[in-house]
Amino acid sequence: MTIRPEIVDAAQALMRGDLVIMPTETVYGLAGDATSADAVARIFAAKGRPRFNPLIAHVADLDAALREAVLDDRAQALARTFWPGPLTLVCPARADGAVCDLARAGLDTVAVRVPAHPVALELLRAFGQPVAAPSANRSGRPSPTTLADATAETGDAVAAALEGGPCRHGLESTVVSLLEGPPRLLRPGAVTRAQIEALIGPLAEAEADARRSPGRLARHYAPEAPVRLSAARPEAGEAYISFGAGWPGDIPLSRSGDLVEAAARLYAALREADARGPTAIAVAPVPDEGLGEAVNDRLRRAAGFIG
Ligand code: TXA
Ligand code: MG
């Protein structure tokens, strides 16, 4: 099988320790060699992350994940059902794993995921090592869901950028930890709580084990303008993001009230609202069921309500 020239270029950039913008089915990632502390440090610098928050190691398949992490029966059941796909598993790191300490933020655990985007899989196969890839936004800004948005955020920091079209899900992966004790939902995402619980039983909340979920920063995913949630209608000067029936001039998440469409449009809607320079961004109520849990999680972060 021949490897496309842009994939060869991007894989070579990773081998040199340079960074690459990589499309995934969730959001665009700022990718670097997860086994190289230099490359990972470059990711933190490019994002302007305020502190070292552990990164997800993206791998090409379950076998590659098993070289980095110890997946118990529950983790393997989830992996077999949802990979490739928008689910990240936090598991004990193998002592002989290749993911560097900095990518794991010094923890004895590692987050692994097999993304479903064909371009990401081409790159992971060509590179042959785990790839660390946080969302390709600068820290605290909405995640990019198109190549143009990703390039505007962190394009200066990369040696290559791969086109993958608009992201299918538009929301980051669901993060589940499978360590000692009950499985925990560290971050709601594109795979819903109900889908996971159907396979492995009830999920505990992350808050009960904050030490293990270092990524839960306030004002994460935030636009410039303040965000007002559960707004039935816009006030003068506000941009309005609607769900279902809206108002003239609003920015719809989904006119038909479809949560999948709403999730996919969320970050683009926040960017579009912000670009209008409003006094605030008012957002219509979004039901908390299914994918709505992840949409509301990101909205509360945009509004600064989750610490
Ligand atoms: O959809 C996604 O997951 C995207 C695409 C690019 O794959 N990536 C992404 O990465 O959202 P990032 O770095 O923005 O989010 C990683 C999340 C953070 O909340 C981090 O704290 C958590 O995963 N995480 C990573 N390693 C962890 C670990 N060892 N223990 C607990 N949480 C961990
Ligand atoms: Mg992010």
Side-chain angles (χ1 to χ4, degrees), residues 8-192:
V8 173
D9 286 350
Q12 285 175 344
L14 292 176
M15 286 172 200
R16 287 194 306 268
D18 286 339
L19 306 186
V20 171
I21 289 176
M22 173 177 80
T24 84
E25 77 282 25
T26 58
V27 299
Y28 275 76
L30 180 63
D33 179 353
T35 72
S36 157
D38 280 357
V40 172
R42 220 164 282 157
I43 295 177
F44 286 117
K47 283 185 65 82
R49 272 207 182 186
R51 56 186 169 134
F52 293 150
N53 183 13
L55 303 179
I56 297 169
H58 296 70
V59 292
D61 53 33
L62 177 56
D63 283 344
L66 291 169
R67 288 196 286 275
E68 302 301 326
V70 181
L71 275 67
D72 65 15
D73 290 348
R74 304 166 302 181
Q76 295 210 22
L78 291 171
R80 288 181 205 287
T81 305
F82 295 111
W83 283 354
L87 178 67
T88 295
L89 303 175
V90 173
C91 298
R94 283 180 56 129
D96 59 352
V99 174
C100 69
D101 252 21
L102 185 56
R104 292 186 284 102
L107 299 170
D108 55 3
T109 60
V110 63
V112 285
R113 138 167 149 87
V114 179
H117 198 292
V119 176
L121 288 171
E122 275 180 274
L123 179 61
L124 291 171
R125 289 188 191 117
F127 180 52
Q129 290 283 351
V131 163
S135 47
N137 52 287
R138 296 190 46 79
S139 189
R141 305 245 317 132
S143 301
T145 55
T146 63
L147 179 58
D149 286 346
T151 306
E153 290 282 334
T154 52
D156 289 352
V158 301
L162 294 169
E163 176 60 83
C167 298
R168 175 152 48 99
H169 296 294
L171 270 187
E172 296 83 355
S173 61
T174 306
V175 182
V176 176
S177 79
L178 297 134
L179 303 170
E180 68 294 342
R184 292 186 190 283
L185 184 62
L186 300 189
R187 179 174 74 182
V191 175
T192 64

